[in-house]
Amino acid sequence: MVGFRVLGPLTAETAAGPVNLKGPRHQAVLARLLIAKGRVVPVTWLIGDLWEGDPPDGALGAVQTFVGALRKALEPDRPPRTPSRLLVTVPPGYALRAEPDAVDAWRFEAAVAESARLLAGGQAEKARVLLEDALALWRGPAYAEFAELDWARAEADRLTELRLLAVERRAEAATASGQAAESVPDLRAHVAEHPLREDGWRLLALALYRTGRQGDALTTLRRAREVLRTELGVDPGAELRQLEADILAQEPRLSDPAPTPVDEPFVGRESELADLVQTAVATASAGRPGLVLLGGAAGAGKTALARALTRRLAAMGWTTAWGASPDLPSVPGEDLAVARFRRQRAMGEYLAKLGGRGPALLVFDDLHWADEETLALLTGLATDPGAGPVLLVGTYRSTEISAELAGALGRAARAEPVRLYLGGLSEAQVADLVRAVSHREPTAEGLRVIHRRSAGNPFFVRELARLWEAEGSLHAVPAGVRDVIRHRLSGLPDTTHLRQAAVLGEEVDLEVLIALAGDEDAVLASVESGLLAGFLVEQDADRVRFEHALVRETLYEDIARARRARWHAAAAEIIEQRRPEDVAAIAHHFLRADSAATAERAAHYARAAAELAERRSAPHEAARLWREVVARSEGRARLEATMGLVRALAVTGDLAQARRLRAEAVTAAMGDPLLAARVIGSFDVPAIWTANDDEAHSAELVVAAERVLAELPDGHPVSRARLLITIAMERRADTGGRGGEAAAEAVRIARAQGDPALLALALNGLFLQTFHRAGLAPERARIGAELVDLSARHGLVTFEVLGHLIQLQAHAALADLATADDHAAAADALAERYELPLVGVFTEWYAALRLAITGHVTEARSAYRAAASKLTGTGMSGLERGILPLALLGLDPDTPFGADWGPYEPWARPRGQSIPDSPRDLLFEARTCLHARFAIQSGQTAVMEHLYAELLPAAGELAGAGSGLLTFGPVARYLGDLATALNRPAEAATHYRQAESLRRS
């Protein structure tokens, strides 16, 4: 990664050291793009900025030259003719796509923003340390060489202002964390350099007071007054005047505060806190009350936000209080309205008295439980201008609004309150909260599950995170959450219909719920109650959903099993009648009914749902459903379901179990040619590697397929094609010819049948038979391209991934890394979307191969070891053994002899005077190049002649790169060595030139 430093003179640096940024205009182009922060800068703007509105002839060409030179400097290892990934061309200009942490100014800005969150959350020491490190990034004025130019001045000034804020905030954090004395020297220097910044004077005086230097604090404030009067002709602002009065009165709140305990981390509400602080500042400036009404569901974080605001305003010198008022005298027998008036007036006078000493914050928490007197007091104070600068904050549950609270909220409208509703946290905010409350790093999938099940409710998030940390499970309802939900449910008159809705799922079709309950009016009344209580959310006029998965699960788990089973069965029958095409929902309910009476229908619909899941490329769901079908089926139906399970297991990565179940199913089906053909030919699983993981199992499958093929009656072309594909797939890289014949015939049948899925499988078989000689990467690229096109048009996701991987291999062999990169990215995107874990194994190996090809030997070695670790447990034993040492051998011929070379040992570490010819597979060119090296060393002329002829068709390829895993460099280099050893200097020179061309491409 390239790092940029602009907080001082402009510099750039890579892992290799400083980057030569050429001349001043080159640097100006880079600075202009950095200021744009990844946005596109039109080339006309660059020309105008570089020549200050007076460009010379040829300015456009000059800018292009500057950009080209910068690209070479910033990305020296980028292959020729490949697009830049850093300084990119984006019409109508250029953009710099630097990483978020690559620019010191960006890191500084992020740290200043984070420090505000830490201070608001009571973590003053963390904020101080963060700001200390951030300020250390400064080496001089921002964009020092360009700060006086029009295009840079605004950004330089903005960063300078941000730096001054950071200095003051660091002092504030130090003072708040009990280090007031340490902040005094920095603050003295700060006010000396910036004497018109009142906040600097305020912080210096406060720090001096807290270190026991009351006289020095007052002297500082008098000096501030003199400077402001002399320089600006104004008196100090309200905050300085109030601080002076507080110091003279020795206000207790100025004492060094004890650290505020923070029960829970404050995460995810930073923007709301910033809005509230802004509202508080406006209230103080206006000198009259302000009102904030803070609503949300239980657990949404209303109280936590109010506490964070209290800490923040207290640190700013505000008086704060929560939900209590001073004791006021009452008169026995006094009229209620008169008493209320006297109480409000007395409270207003009290607050006005507080206001004389500065602004005040008064929090009324949990207004949904407040009595009429408290609500009247809140709304009365909000409209009383005599109360002074007081910010009133009322929190309430938006799902529990009583008639009294509703009336108070209506009356409060006259005060024009700021209304904030706290919804759920985003997935990123949930991740931050989980990390804050946990002691171990959660997985990305775990974070997604927590976010989905909690709907971002902070209380639910914390409870789920604790459950996961304690028990490793995210699929139970935490006890604390269950108790809260049950308590809230107890406030409803009847939960029967909500429990029936819970049986139907997180999203509820009201027509089905009404049919299940049998009483439309009663259901609609219950739904309305659930909506008002915040348990349900309307989707449209016909559907509602549960606000939180945890609510539905609590309701569901509290239903007796017998009742639950009958409701599921009834729901299945209702959906079967109304939406017979919704096989997934029908299967779900029949399976959950788990009744002997519905077992046959459960198996039928589960089979249909599993097949639908396969067509939709949802292999994990398909595997789950096929297991249910297998458990409920017998005979032929069980065998066919077993093969469905085998397909799903293979795609999801459980290859060992898939092979075992497949062997058992084939053995059971033999004797019935049509059944056996269906079982043997139902393995629609793509294959990319040319070595079988279990040769004995493959041999048995070939024997069985040939036997059934001979017994198969005429008139079954699809079954015949599938048997031929099995032979081609299991005899992969077949040198005997049978595999190639079977693949070719299968492709012809598939094309004639017009069956896209069958053709994709047949093309896979054909690909596995394109290894009979060297140099066939272009042919494999064509097969891969047809697979991608065919599969993308017909939704065959796993074969679309296969097509991308085949093209990755082929283009890597041809040294076309840009195209290979595109196919790797496409394969990864599909794998992530459809949860195909084995794909990442191959793309990670390709990433290591790419480093090897481009000469990054150290990085490639580490990447290879990381990629090899991903092979463990995949079940791909035909690939795993010996592949890491072979890859490392391509980086360094002196790889230790003690490595486990597996099947590659005869070529990697030959013994004696002979080496066998390489198998015809993805590593044919790699092994043959090693063989050539040994033959040259041994002076075996006849062997060299033979190997030269074998390798010649691959002269334009990288040896081994066609595997997508490793390389021994250009085949042409080995051909040159062979030609030299065979005394063919002209051919050798041609081959060496070709090798050099490949190396440079």
Side-chain angles (χ1 to χ4, degrees):
M1 182 181 76
V2 184
F4 300 94
R5 304 180 73 186
V6 300
L7 301 179
L10 173 64
T11 63
E13 194 169 289
T14 67
V19 175
N20 181 359
L21 296 178
K22 311 297 181 182
R25 286 211 163 93
H26 296 78
Q27 295 176 34
V29 168
L30 179 59
R32 184 66 182 83
L33 294 173
L34 282 166
I35 285 174
K37 295 183 179 178
R39 297 185 297 273
V40 178
V41 179
V43 71
T44 53
W45 294 10
L46 283 172
I47 291 171
D49 290 340
L50 288 179
W51 284 281
E52 301 183 50
D54 187 21
D57 293 340
L60 176 60
V63 169
Q64 292 170 340
T65 300
F66 299 152
V67 169
L70 283 170
R71 283 172 170 164
K72 288 182 181 178
L74 296 172
E75 297 179 278
D77 297 326
R78 180 170 55 88
R81 299 185 298 280
T82 58
S84 172
R85 295 179 182 274
L86 181 59
L87 204 169
V88 298
T89 300
V90 185
Y94 301 99
L96 190 76
R97 306 297 196 204
E99 296 293 328
D101 60 346
V103 183
D104 58 356
W106 302 354
R107 297 200 305 275
F108 175 75
E109 194 167 350
V112 174
E114 174 67 5
S115 70
R117 187 187 72 81
L118 291 171
L119 275 171
Q123 302 179 70
E125 177 57 16
K126 285 186 178 180
R128 186 195 66 77
V129 172
L130 179 65
L131 289 166
E132 195 78 50
D133 293 340
L135 287 165
L137 295 172
W138 285 74
R139 300 167 293 115
Y143 292 97
E145 307 95 318
F146 317 103
E148 297 307 314
L149 299 176
D150 289 343
W151 54 268
R153 186 178 298 114
E155 177 65 6
D157 290 348
R158 187 184 72 84
L159 288 170
T160 299
E161 183 65 26
L162 197 62
R163 180 184 177 278
L164 297 177
L165 172 63
V167 170
E168 292 167 356
R169 189 170 287 169
R170 177 183 61 180
E172 180 184 349
T175 303
S177 59
Q179 302 175 66
E182 288 83 348
S183 67
V184 168
D186 288 337
L187 284 169
R188 285 197 186 280
H190 179 67
V191 298
E193 191 174 353
H194 305 281
L196 302 183
R197 293 182 68 89
E198 291 191 38
D199 216 32
W201 291 107
R202 179 184 66 81
L203 288 165
L204 175 58
L206 181 60
L208 288 167
Y209 180 82
R210 287 191 175 171
T211 55
R213 299 164 64 180
Q214 180 176 340
D216 289 341
L218 291 170
T219 299
T220 295
L221 292 172
R222 284 193 292 271
R223 173 63 180 151
R225 181 182 296 106
E226 292 169 4
V227 168
L228 292 170
R229 283 177 175 172
T230 301
E231 298 292 333
L232 302 177
V234 299
D235 284 329
E239 287 197 28
L240 282 182
R241 295 198 306 273
Q242 183 62 52
L243 178 60
E244 184 173 31
D246 288 345
I247 290 174
L248 289 170
Q250 295 188 343
E251 276 288 330
R253 60 191 175 87
L254 292 185
S255 300
D256 197 358
T260 305
V262 182
D263 297 330
E264 298 289 354
F266 182 71
V267 174
R269 303 295 188 194
E270 290 82 2
S271 63
E272 290 90 343
L273 177 61
D275 291 342
L276 292 178
V277 170
Q278 189 173 359
T279 299
V281 171
T283 297
S285 299
R288 54 173 295 137
L291 175 61
V292 173
L293 295 173
L294 192 57
K302 305 177 293 298
T303 300
L305 177 57
R307 285 176 179 160
L309 176 65
T310 301
R311 290 192 294 270
R312 184 74 171 130
L313 295 184
M316 293 169 60
W318 283 51
T319 300
T320 64
W322 271 62
S325 59
D327 291 331
L328 301 172
S330 61
V331 178
E334 188 175 35
D335 180 77
L336 179 61
V338 174
R340 183 175 293 171
F341 173 77
R342 290 183 65 257
R343 182 181 181 84
Q344 178 184 319
R345 185 169 183 177
M347 175 61 86
E349 292 172 354
Y350 172 75
L351 291 174
K353 191 179 298 183
L354 286 179
R357 294 181 292 176
L361 168 71
L362 187 56
V363 178
F364 290 77
D365 200 21
D366 293 329
L367 289 178
H368 49 281
W369 290 330
D371 57 22
E372 287 189 41
E373 294 304 304
T374 301
L375 295 172
L377 178 62
L378 172 66
T379 55
L381 290 174
T383 55
D384 181 3
V390 56
L391 180 65
L392 303 159
V393 175
T395 74
Y396 64 94
R397 291 182 184 173
S398 54
T399 57
E400 300 179 25
I401 300 178
S402 63
E404 293 80 9
L405 177 56
L409 294 177
R411 293 192 301 274
R414 290 175 296 168
E416 298 182 358
V418 173
R419 299 178 187 268
L420 284 180
Y421 176 80
L422 299 187
L425 300 177
S426 68
E427 188 169 328
Q429 291 168 333
V430 165
D432 289 341
L433 181 53
V434 171
R435 292 188 179 101
V437 301
S438 303
H439 295 92
R440 57 190 178 107
E441 181 68 17
T443 64
E445 176 60 24
L447 291 172
R448 282 193 290 271
V449 170
I450 291 175
H451 180 254
R452 179 181 59 78
R453 298 191 71 218
S454 67
N457 181 286
F459 171 68
F460 290 176
V461 170
R462 288 193 297 270
E463 292 298 306
L464 279 170
R466 287 165 180 152
L467 178 70
W468 164 74
E469 193 164 37
E471 302 178 15
S473 171
L474 283 173
H475 300 289
V477 180
V481 172
R482 187 185 296 111
D483 291 341
V484 168
I485 293 172
R486 283 173 175 164
H487 174 72
R488 291 178 58 203
L489 287 167
S490 67
L492 297 179
D494 185 10
T495 61
T496 300
H497 298 136
L498 277 182
R499 289 186 293 144
Q500 289 175 322
V503 166
L504 295 181
E506 288 188 26
E507 195 167 287
V508 182
D509 183 328
L510 292 179
E511 291 299 322
V512 176
L513 179 58
I514 290 167
L516 181 61
D519 187 335
E520 181 173 5
D521 289 340
V523 166
L524 294 179
S526 295
V527 166
E528 190 169 354
S529 296
L531 291 168
L532 292 173
F535 295 121
L536 300 174
V537 176
E538 283 186 303
Q539 299 285 85
D540 52 39
D542 299 317
R543 293 177 304 153
V544 296
R545 65 172 174 81
F546 282 93
E547 173 70 13
H548 304 285
L550 296 173
V551 170
R552 190 197 74 82
E553 290 166 22
T554 298
L555 283 161
Y556 187 84
E557 290 171 7
D558 285 348
I559 305 170
R561 289 184 62 184
R563 186 184 298 275
R564 202 160 58 196
R566 281 157 179 77
W567 280 347
H568 273 300
E573 291 174 350
I574 292 167
I575 298 171
E576 188 179 33
Q577 293 170 5
R578 294 169 181 265
R579 300 196 309 268
E581 75 285 355
D582 193 354
V583 293
I586 300 169
H588 167 76
H589 288 296
F590 274 135
L591 291 171
R592 286 297 185 97
D594 199 21
S595 163
T598 59
E600 186 175 341
R601 293 160 80 187
H604 168 76
Y605 282 108
R607 177 188 301 276
E611 291 168 349
L612 179 63
E614 286 187 321
R615 290 195 297 274
R616 291 178 175 174
S617 299
H620 293 274
E621 177 67 5
R624 183 187 68 80
L625 288 164
W626 280 123
R627 282 194 176 93
E628 298 283 4
V629 181
V630 169
R632 291 168 171 80
S633 304
E634 295 179 355
R636 177 188 293 262
R638 183 183 178 88
L639 285 177
E640 292 177 351
T642 298
M643 288 310 298
L645 177 58
V646 166
R647 289 192 301 271
L649 290 173
V651 173
T652 56
D654 194 347
L655 295 175
Q657 188 179 8
R659 280 195 293 270
R660 180 180 61 78
L661 291 175
R662 187 185 186 192
E664 293 173 359
V666 170
T667 300
M670 296 304 287
D672 181 338
L674 289 176
L675 176 60
R678 290 188 65 176
V679 171
I680 293 171
S682 63
F683 192 66
D684 295 1
V685 180
I688 186 71
W689 194 242
T690 45
N692 286 308
D693 297 318
D694 188 333
E695 290 289 355
H697 175 60
S698 294
E700 290 170 359
L701 283 171
V702 169
V703 169
E706 294 282 18
R707 174 182 161 187
V708 174
L709 194 62
E711 298 172 352
L712 190 70
D714 293 338
H716 297 278
V718 173
S719 294
R720 179 174 180 81
R722 286 183 170 276
L723 289 168
L724 290 166
I725 292 168
T726 299
I727 293 168
M729 298 275 274
E730 300 302 331
R731 295 187 63 141
R732 54 190 73 182
D734 185 9
T735 57
R738 175 54 177 156
E741 294 169 3
E745 184 181 352
V747 170
R748 288 195 298 272
I749 294 173
R751 292 194 195 280
Q753 293 293 313
D755 184 335
L758 186 65
L759 179 56
L761 195 60
L763 288 171
N764 192 171
L766 188 64
F767 158 73
L768 291 172
Q769 299 300 327
T770 54
F771 298 91
H772 49 280
R773 66 168 174 83
L776 288 173
E779 175 63 23
R780 293 193 284 274
R782 284 191 288 273
I783 293 173
E786 182 176 1
L787 266 173
V788 168
D789 176 67
L790 174 75
S791 303
R793 283 189 287 111
H794 295 283
L796 306 172
V797 173
T798 54
F799 285 97
E800 186 179 354
V801 170
L802 174 68
H804 284 301
L805 292 179
I806 290 172
Q807 292 196 80
L808 177 158
Q809 293 175 335
H811 289 287
L814 298 170
D816 181 2
L817 297 186
T819 303
D821 289 347
D822 291 341
H823 288 294
D828 275 334
L830 288 167
E832 181 176 2
R833 181 176 177 185
Y834 294 102
E835 299 183 61
L836 306 174
L838 294 183
V839 175
V841 174
F842 291 99
T843 54
E844 189 162 345
W845 271 90
Y846 167 70
L849 165 64
R850 198 186 196 291
L851 290 168
I853 292 172
T854 53
H856 296 81
V857 175
T858 302
E859 295 90 337
R861 185 177 290 110
S862 298
Y864 272 136
R865 294 188 187 281
S869 69
K870 300 294 178 61
L871 277 170
T872 303
T874 62
M876 293 189 287
S877 55
L879 169 59
E880 183 177 3
R881 188 167 174 237
I883 197 68
L884 175 59
L886 190 66
L888 296 177
L889 184 64
L891 299 175
D892 181 5
D894 296 323
T895 297
F897 274 78
D900 177 10
W901 298 98
Y904 310 110
E905 185 165 1
W907 298 271
R909 289 293 180 253
R911 293 182 174 83
Q913 291 300 307
S914 65
I915 293 179
D917 283 343
S918 170
R920 306 285 174 147
D921 59 15
L922 279 163
L923 289 170
F924 172 70
E925 291 86 355
R927 293 194 199 87
T928 305
C929 285
L930 291 176
H931 195 170
R933 181 189 295 171
F934 177 76
I936 293 168
Q937 292 171 350
S938 305
Q940 300 176 14
T941 303
V943 175
M944 286 190 281
E945 293 277 9
H946 166 68
L947 296 177
Y948 183 86
E950 292 276 26
L951 287 173
L952 191 58
E957 297 183 14
L958 298 175
S963 65
L965 309 180
L966 56 86
T967 186
F968 287 94
V971 172
R973 191 181 77 211
Y974 296 87
L975 287 168
D977 292 345
L978 287 167
T980 299
L982 292 169
N983 197 25
R984 301 175 186 173
E987 289 95 327
T990 299
H991 292 313
Y992 286 139
R993 283 195 297 273
Q994 187 173 17
E996 182 62 18
S997 175
L998 276 174
R999 191 185 68 80
R1000 291 178 177 276
S1001 65

